[in-house]
Amino acid sequence: MSIHSETKAMLDRALDYIRSQMGNEALSTGEIAAHAGFCDDYFNRIFTAYTGYRVMEYARFCRLRRAAYLLRISDRDILDIALETGYSTHESFARAFKKQYAMNPAEYRETMRKQVMTWSETHADVTAGSRFADAYPDLTEIPRDDAIEYLLNKNSTKFGYDAVTLAWNGSFVYTEDDGLGGTPAELLDRVEDYIAVDGYPNGEMHFQFHLSHPEKLAKYLRMILPFSCGGSAGVSFAGNLTEEDIRLLMAKDGLTITEIHAFPAAVYTGEMPEPVVLPEGYSLHVLTADDIPAVQKWGEKRGGSRDWGLARELSIPPEMKADHAIGLFRGEELLGVSRLSFQETHGLHICNCICSDILKEHRDHTLYRLMYKNGMRYAIKHGYLPYEDMQFGKEQIQTEGFDALDMGYIQIHTAWGITVTEK
């Protein structure tokens, strides 16, 4: 079913309304339809075509995903969580939860409290794939695991970050059908290009391309123009292209580049760095819930209580978190924080960037370097390959006094952020 842009906007309003009503036990298809401007009879059919879910099925999914998150991060009473997510009794909540997660709430809490939460489990818009596929029914969906294996088999070092991102974001992967049959994995091996799409909770969609045939770039960018991101995508080329190469391709195909940004990627494969020796009176340790007061004060000093959400994250059990935070202290005062994100898929473990920030009045290039080296040691000790996309370039060097290459990383790839419009 092809859906017109005006109808898509109405459906997006319906999705937003459902997400805003997770605690509303009385929520109905009719109420959602009326809010979005649809008549009842037509609404369920077109909603399913657009999202892959029936209306109330999607509402239940959203409510139960919120419940699953609360079960994992808190010790709150199960009935309290049920009430917050729109269920009036423990029994009705347990039945619905088991249908979605194949275990009752108590079993889920016990099983999942020690599992790291990925971004896709709590944030990704699961309708993104259906919404994109509705616009292009001739594309073939590739199982995410097949796409990950394809990248790792092609070059696990060069495309390892892309592979992890597919898993972490819960991406949906599509490629063009060449008509030769076979499994989706065999199709991807032949075509060698794909579009990956995932969605944010606000309905915006995010696109990643992997292209072995650069001449397809303009075609794929045009395909995503109708969506909320416009013609914006992160692009990894199998070969090495320069900005000039990309601009020539776009000019040839009638597109205007409004933004292009290089993302050089580097990994560290060397020995464990030497132990960090801090100036007297300074210390480093992994932040825990005990450090929340210090983190809150640090956030206030940074301005606008911008503490990176650390205070909230530190309340989550450490074994569930992918993000690790290491604090730089002078005495009892928190001066700076390094954040490390541990991500993995199919046996590949990477530390996705070591991002540090020190209070402005205490910023010092030596301290930045010591914090960074400590982050590298921490990642390697835990079995994760340090990775940097070096996207900040000159700004990062100006603030921190060095970049990843200065720390022994090896550049392996350059991906691109590209936004275009029609001429």
Side-chain angles (χ1 to χ4, degrees), residues 63-181:
R63 292 156 64 190
L64 292 170
R65 184 165 74 168
R66 172 65 178 169
Y69 173 75
L70 294 173
L71 285 166
R72 291 175 73 172
I73 70 163
S74 74
D75 294 316
R76 289 174 55 186
D77 185 80
I78 290 176
L79 181 56
D80 287 343
I81 293 174
L83 293 171
E84 180 176 322
T85 53
Y87 292 88
S88 58
T89 68
H90 186 287
E91 291 74 17
S92 62
F93 173 60
R95 282 196 303 272
F97 193 91
K98 188 168 186 177
K99 185 176 181 180
Q100 182 158 312
Y101 289 99
M103 59 185 90
N104 67 43
E107 292 171 332
Y108 181 88
R109 170 175 273 169
E110 178 66 23
T111 301
M112 302 302 290
R113 283 296 285 268
K114 296 181 180 179
Q115 302 293 321
V116 173
M117 288 190 295
T118 67
W119 185 87
S120 63
E121 287 181 292
T122 56
H123 292 85
D125 176 6
V126 295
T127 71
S130 292
R131 289 191 284 135
F132 181 70
D134 171 74
Y136 302 104
D138 292 336
L139 293 178
T140 296
E141 183 173 358
I142 304 296
R144 191 181 311 127
D145 283 344
D146 287 347
I148 291 169
E149 285 293 334
Y150 165 79
L151 290 172
L152 296 181
N153 289 335
K154 196 173 186 72
N155 189 323
S156 61
T157 301
K158 184 173 182 178
F159 301 119
Y161 177 72
D162 292 350
V164 169
T165 300
L166 291 182
W168 201 253
N169 291 356
S171 302
F172 299 87
V173 185
Y174 299 92
T175 194
E176 298 175 283
D177 194 335
D178 61 4
L180 298 180

Side-chain angles (χ1 to χ4, degrees), residues 175-398:
T175 194
E176 298 175 283
D177 194 335
D178 61 4
L180 298 180
T183 66
E186 291 169 338
L187 172 62
L188 183 57
D189 280 336
R190 292 195 304 267
V191 176
E192 297 189 300
D193 300 303
Y194 69 70
I195 300 174
V197 55
D198 55 78
Y200 297 105
N202 64 3
E204 292 182 1
M205 293 167 70
H206 175 250
F207 294 90
Q208 292 285 132
F209 301 163
H210 173 85
L211 297 177
S212 293
H213 304 91
E215 64 274 11
K216 290 186 180 180
L217 175 61
K219 176 182 180 179
Y220 284 2
L221 286 170
R222 278 196 173 89
M223 291 174 71
I224 67 174
L225 276 171
F227 296 91
S228 59
C229 67
S232 176
V235 185
S236 285
F237 294 103
N240 297 316
L241 269 72
T242 66
E243 181 175 335
E244 183 181 1
D245 295 332
I246 296 169
R247 288 188 178 278
L248 287 172
L249 281 171
M250 296 300 93
K252 177 182 175 183
D253 285 289
L255 292 176
T256 298
I257 292 178
T258 57
E259 183 177 349
I260 183 167
H261 191 77
F263 294 91
V267 296
Y268 181 79
T269 56
E271 300 295 325
M272 175 75 80
E274 293 294 320
V276 171
V277 179
L278 292 167
E280 186 175 352
Y282 289 78
S283 63
L284 286 162
H285 71 249
V286 177
L287 297 176
T288 68
D290 293 337
D291 296 302
I292 289 177
V295 167
Q296 290 172 332
K297 290 180 181 178
W298 177 75
E300 291 168 2
K301 290 177 181 177
R302 290 179 77 224
S305 298
R306 299 192 334 258
D307 64 1
W308 280 345
L310 282 177
R312 181 185 68 254
E313 289 180 11
L314 292 176
S315 64
I316 299 174
E319 62 271 17
M320 291 172 48
K321 293 185 294 190
D323 286 347
H324 298 235
I326 302 172
L328 171 70
F329 289 82
R330 187 179 61 182
E332 299 296 319
E333 182 184 11
L334 179 62
L335 302 184
V337 176
S338 289
R339 297 194 67 182
L340 299 77
S341 184
F342 286 179
Q343 300 175 4
E344 57 189 80
T345 188
H346 292 222
L348 178 67
H349 297 66
I350 69 168
C351 171
N352 177 14
C353 301
I354 302 168
C355 184
S356 302
D357 192 17
I358 302 175
L359 293 177
K360 192 172 183 179
E361 60 269 30
H362 297 286
R363 284 181 182 169
D364 177 274
H365 289 173
T366 300
L367 288 177
Y368 267 118
R369 186 179 289 267
L370 291 173
M371 290 177 69
Y372 194 93
K373 184 182 289 187
N374 183 72
M376 292 171 63
R377 286 178 55 83
Y378 183 83
I380 295 168
K381 182 178 178 180
H382 286 78
Y384 287 79
L385 188 68
Y387 171 95
E388 284 288 350
D389 62 13
M390 303 195 300
Q391 60 180 297
F392 302 109
K394 293 179 181 179
E395 291 181 17
Q396 183 176 8
I397 294 173
Q398 184 177 3

